[in-house]
């Protein structure tokens, strides 16, 4: 039940608790008016909690029934009229002054019509009594509306104040963190620490995604592709049971910080692991577990902020410059329809084609901004979706080959590989003049290779001030990947971009 629902419940129960004794003390023999109000209050409570109706709609219906009842049973049941304040208060809390006005106007109109149209007797005493409680309802409603506004403002302000305070504390703390806030780097430290206690053949640090899948943060360098396909299942069991799993040379160790499992270290040792060594390793890793928790939390905040900013920019481009450029296209069409000069018409047609090209580029940029690596999708699936979008926004025929098996790559590697491939596909679409585009993605964690190839003759020749190729190289260096770019030659048309991380199976 919402806060407004709780207040509505309290107001109705309190008013009924006062109304019924007053009726009994007044010596009324016929309690039909009170019974109608009690039944209305009960139905209003049920409607407010068990239907999709808003509290304002319920209050309006309640006000109509109570107003009719008060007009028809007066003066025998004058104690019914105080209940008029309840719908006014509830509507004010739910919809502010607008809701209050609607309820009061409805109550006044219904009582006047019922008294003049049904009873056909305008009673000054009734008018005075009804007006007194209507004014009381207005006063309580205005108070409720003011509290509602103040509460909303206070909640919003306090949330932002808390956010500002936390961000400032994080800013102050970040410079004093010895391990930094790089989750991948801390995961490497975890595996180095483990190697000192339990000599390793291979290892990986896994964390849990929003979908429940175990995703690697990092493998040890030199891990053979497919060598740790068993690690995902073992890490999932370790996470589920929150307990160490030891199987001779294989060990899954939960990394716990602040009573929360934040990752799982999975190792394959060079010799059988003793229980005492495993327990000693868990103790040694407690400090790094806290650092890893902080880094993962920071990464989630950073990723969320980045995604929201990309979405905001996409909306601004779509609602702003994209609409404006599309509008220019209509103006160019009008110019074309109003000219008979062949030379001028040819120039206008060229201008229209350029406007159409810019609109297509803007739409693709919007898709690019909105396209993220989903937690439930691997690298191949995400690249395939992006390649299909390239195919629909260009004249190229796109061919996709996916070969993805075993556990996923670490998230940082997936992200950078996806951005490199996206840039390569965009360059082919914009600069190559190709008829075909081939995308090939092979994943055998910790090895992966992505190749983007076209059959164009112009190569990827961006502007002199373009940063695309430079950023591709920076991204490959960041994850230790090899990037190769082959330009077209007279003997072999087409540009080939190949990026590889890890070593293929021997």
């Amino acid at each position: 039940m919402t806060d407004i629902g709780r207040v509505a419940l309290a107001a109705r129960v309190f008013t009924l608790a006062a109304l019924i004794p007053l009726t009994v003390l007044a010596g009324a023999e016929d309690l039909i008016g009170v019974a109608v109000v009690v039944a209305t209050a009960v139905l209003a409570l049920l409607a407010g909690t068990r239907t999709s109706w808003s509290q304002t709609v319920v209050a309006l219906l309640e006000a109509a029934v109570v107003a009719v009842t008060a007009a028809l049973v007066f003066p025998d049941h004058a104690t019914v009229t105080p209940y008029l304040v309840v719908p006014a208060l509830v509507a004010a809390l739910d919809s502010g002054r607008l809701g209050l006005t609607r309820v009061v106007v409805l109550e006044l109109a219904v009582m006047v019509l019922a008294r003049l149209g049904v009873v056909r007797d305008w009673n000054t005493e009734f008018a005075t009594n009804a007006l007194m409680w209507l004014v009381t309802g207005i006063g309580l409603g205005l108070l409720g509306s003011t509290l509602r506004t103040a509460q909303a403002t206070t909640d919003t302000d306090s949330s932002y104040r808390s956010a500002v305070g936390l961000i400032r504390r994080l800013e102050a703390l970040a410079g004093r963190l010895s391990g930094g806030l790089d989750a991948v780097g801390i995961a490497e430290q975890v595996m180095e620490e483990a190697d000192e206690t339990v000599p390793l053949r291979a290892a990986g640090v896994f964390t849990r995604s929003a979908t429940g899948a175990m995703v690697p943060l990092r493998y040890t360098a030199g891990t053979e592709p497919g060598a740790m396909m068993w690690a995902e299942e073992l890490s999932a069991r370790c996470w589920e049971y929150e307990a160490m799993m030891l199987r001779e040379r294989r060990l899954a160790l939960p990394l716990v910080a602040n009573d929360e499992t934040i990752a799982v270290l999975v190792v394959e040792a060079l010799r059988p692991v003793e229980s005492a060594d495993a327990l000693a390793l868990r103790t040694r890793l407690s400090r790094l577990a806290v650092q890893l928790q902080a880094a993962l939390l920071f990464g989630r905040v950073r990723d969320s902020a980045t995604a929201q900013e990309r979405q905001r920019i996409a909306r601004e481009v779509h609602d702003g410059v994209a609409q404006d450029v599309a509008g220019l296209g209509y103006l160019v069409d009008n110019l074309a329809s109003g000219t008979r000069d062949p030379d001028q018409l040819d120039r206008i047609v060229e201008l229209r084609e350029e406007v159409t090209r810019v609109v297509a580029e803007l739409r693709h940029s919007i898709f690019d901004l909105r396209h993220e690596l989903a937690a439930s999708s691997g690298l191949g699936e995400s690249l395939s979706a992006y390649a299909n979008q390239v195919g629909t926004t260009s004249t190229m025929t796109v061919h996709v080959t996916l070969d993805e098996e075993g556990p996923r790559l670490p998230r940082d590697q997936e992200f950078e590989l996806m951005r490199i491939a996206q840039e390569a596909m965009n360059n082919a679409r914009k600069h190559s003049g190709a008829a075909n585009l081939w995308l090939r993605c092979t994943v055998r964690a910790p090895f992966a290779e992505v190749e983007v190839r076209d059959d164009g003759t112009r190569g990827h020749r961006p502007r002199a001030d373009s940063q695309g190729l430079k950023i591709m190289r920076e991204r490959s260096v960041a994850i230790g990947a090899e990037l190769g770019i082959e330009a077209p030659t007279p003997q072999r048309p087409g540009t080939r971009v190949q990026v590889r991380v890890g070593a293929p199976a021997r």
Side-chain angles (χ1 to χ4, degrees), residues 181 183 293-306 411:
L181 289 171
Q293 182 185 38
L296 289 172
L297 286 173
F298 177 76
R300 290 174 196 152
V301 173
R302 179 194 57 209
D303 292 345
S304 176
T306 301
R411 180 168 177 80

Side-chain angles (χ1 to χ4, degrees), residues 320-337:
V321 65
Q323 301 295 336
D324 294 339
V325 175
L328 288 177
Y330 298 126
L331 292 177
V332 174
D333 291 338
N334 292 334
L335 288 175
S337 63

